[in-house]
Amino acid sequence: MGADFQTNTTMTPGIQAMLPFLYAAWSDRHLSVPEIESLRKEAGALEFLSAGDRRVLLEWSDPVRPPSRERYQQWLSSGRQAAESLPEAKPASLAELAIVLAVAAEDDPEARLAYWSEQLTALRSIEEGLGGVREDTYRSLFPLYDQREKLFEAIKEGSVDPAELQRVLDGEHADTIARTKEILLRPSFERPTLRIKEDYREQVLRWCKELAREGIGALSYPVEYGGHDSMAEYAAAFETIAYHDLSLTIKFGVQFGLWGGAVYNLGTKRHHDAYLRATGTLELPGCFAMTETGHGSNVRGLETTAVYDHDNRELIVHSPSVAAGKEYIGNAMHARMAAVFCQLIVNGESHGVHAVVVPIRSADGLTLPGIRVEDNGYKMGLNGVDNGRLWFDNVRVPVANLLDKYGGIAEEGAYTSPIESPTRRFFTMLGTLVGGRVFVPRAGLSAAKSALTIAVRYGLRRRQFPSESMRSETIILDYPNQQRRLIPLVAKAYAVQFGLDHLLDRYVNRTEEQMREIEAMAAGLKSYATWFATAAIQECREATGGKGYLAENRFADLKGDTDIFTTFEGDNTVLMQLLAKSLLTEFKKSFQEDGNFAVLKFIGRRVGTIVTEQNPYVVRQTDREHLESRSFYLSAFQFRARRLVSTLGSRLRAYIKEGMSSYQAGLLCQTHMIEAAEAYVELLVLESSLARVDALREVKALDASQAPNASGDLLEKVILLYAHHTIEHHRGWYLESDYISGQKSKAIRKLVDKLCAELRPEVGALVDGFGISDELLGAPIAL
């Protein structure tokens, strides 16, 4: 003990033993008379102090001659170094530190260990004689011991038990989440560092097979195919897996969600019987081949063809050019089957994009004739996912392989479909695949939650810069700027969770009439949530400094793995334009259906806004009660969403009246479209969050056995911060729109600061409420 670090060689072992007591005595910058008397009296009885040691001790305990800053820092450094070498079983005490320092200063530490151990009682007497040693003195001397304890204290000081917050977030699928976590915590799921992509891919494949054996992959499939017929349970498992490894998450999603989902949603019973059970157990690995090198977001423009050969009752699947190759296909290097999206041509006529099941490998893994596969190679992230390119050279498959729920080929060779309109058929088919846009943002949010938990926990432990000389350094999350960086992101994570939960509920309980609205909603929320994840992870990395740059603390993988989330399952910018077009369609439709009444209603709402929200008094009102009222901040969100859509419509109409094509007009208004879509999503997130808080309050009110509604109060404040931080972000637009004055803008900024400070004692509990165990978190700086 103590021999594995260096002490100051100019100090004797006796003086080294006294350093922890001197540091503690001077920690409040002055020595009291009782401290001096106790220190000198107890030290006078110590046999190991030489006459020279006693003179040094008298000098360093002189109350009129405090130690220099440099000497005090040297004592602290020596104490910390000794504390780091203390065995875990040893108590964090000054006496124990004294022994470590003294032994390390001996010429023969091993030989002198027994002697110094005998001095423990005398050294404890000195520590007791100092009276109540300051708490921050122990924090300074025992950072490693202290950090863990103080982290728990920081979490406990919140007004709500993190377990209660976790129950709110997990909701009715808590059992599925708990079961998935139990599997992920098995020894077989230990995360080794595998930088060779082939090794990493094989590990991910093994993990995926184990999840499949446990029935997790088939959760969304019907019971007769080994599932629970529960899309919501599948979503809960999917987002939970994202706490463990994002490559596993994506491969899991490709196998069971995209490939399996294409078979289930686009196929009929014969396809389900042939493929679903084996897909759910991963006996039949498959891939989803939609995107092409030349056509990513433009699915209608796909070049791959499937030409019907009536004589042989076969489809001939072909890639007519290099650019028509299927690009970035997940599971491409392991799959035996592919759901290939291609232009279906029957009797010389194209009937639009359809999906065909094409075998690409034999049972023993050999690539089949006519199939060309290339590895995409190393990527910025997700290197555990086997992405590849696929080309088809006149590959023949039975016509039965056409997934024909929405369009098939009759026995006589004619194309048939229950949906007459090609456009409606196309969007109906794509609508059944919108699940990817429902699930991907949940995985992105899980990654953001992991990053926020790591950063906040580190912020509650890490100290930097003392408020005064010789004082304990300040916890970095006590700095207002650090609070500003992290706490609004935690609030937004909760709000986005509630928004995504609303989307999932709508998707799971959808009707055909609601699908267009849900598709638009999914497009917007997928973009909003994944952009948030990217920004939050980067902010968390910066907020943890150099420690956050170490691979072991996971930000590198979280950043690299989620970066693609903003452009797969639809490029976010394109998706936001899709949402904006949907909003314009609904806006136009409301006028067409309601005629003059709609015009009067629109004008009435505009006048009402001017009278109640944009009058000179309200735009300047800055008292906290007003700012915290829903009548202000919810109305502000509603105003922004309405105004941006109506002004967008006006601009487009004006351009078209000038003779411009709708396409050209759309290009001129593209940034306006994205802003309108963002405003819609922000309002959706806020309304979903407030509805969730209100529902929580109602449950508590109805159940007399429930504790006081602390969780509802806390979440109300969390959502309040989300709302005002968002308004602050758009303050330029609100000022331009005369919705708030400059004075009110300042008041909102100050309120955000206050809310961050008020939530500072709660933030440890808030991130623990995400329910990410230490083992899944896996970052040393957060443990």
Side-chain angles (χ1 to χ4, degrees), residues 239-260:
E239 69 182 76
T240 304
I241 294 168
Y243 293 137
H244 176 265
D245 184 280
L246 287 159
S247 285
L248 172 61
T249 308
I250 298 308
K251 190 174 184 73
F252 180 93
V254 168
Q255 170 67 22
F256 307 113
L258 291 180
W259 154 248

Side-chain angles (χ1 to χ4, degrees), residues 422-437:
T423 298
R424 184 164 165 258
R425 182 167 61 241
F426 173 75
F427 283 109
T428 300
M429 181 190 70
L430 287 190
T432 64
L433 304 174
V434 76
R437 292 173 187 168

Side-chain angles (χ1 to χ4, degrees), residues 386-429:
D386 49 316
N387 292 103
R389 303 180 181 95
L390 298 173
W391 289 268
F392 307 92
D393 184 7
N394 293 301
V395 177
R396 288 177 172 268
V397 298
V399 71
N401 284 26
L402 175 65
L403 298 176
D404 56 358
K405 181 176 182 179
Y406 297 107
I409 301 171
E411 284 293 329
E412 66 273 16
Y415 178 80
T416 63
S417 173
I419 304 174
E420 187 174 342
S421 165
T423 298
R424 184 164 165 258
R425 182 167 61 241
F426 173 75
F427 283 109
T428 300
M429 181 190 70

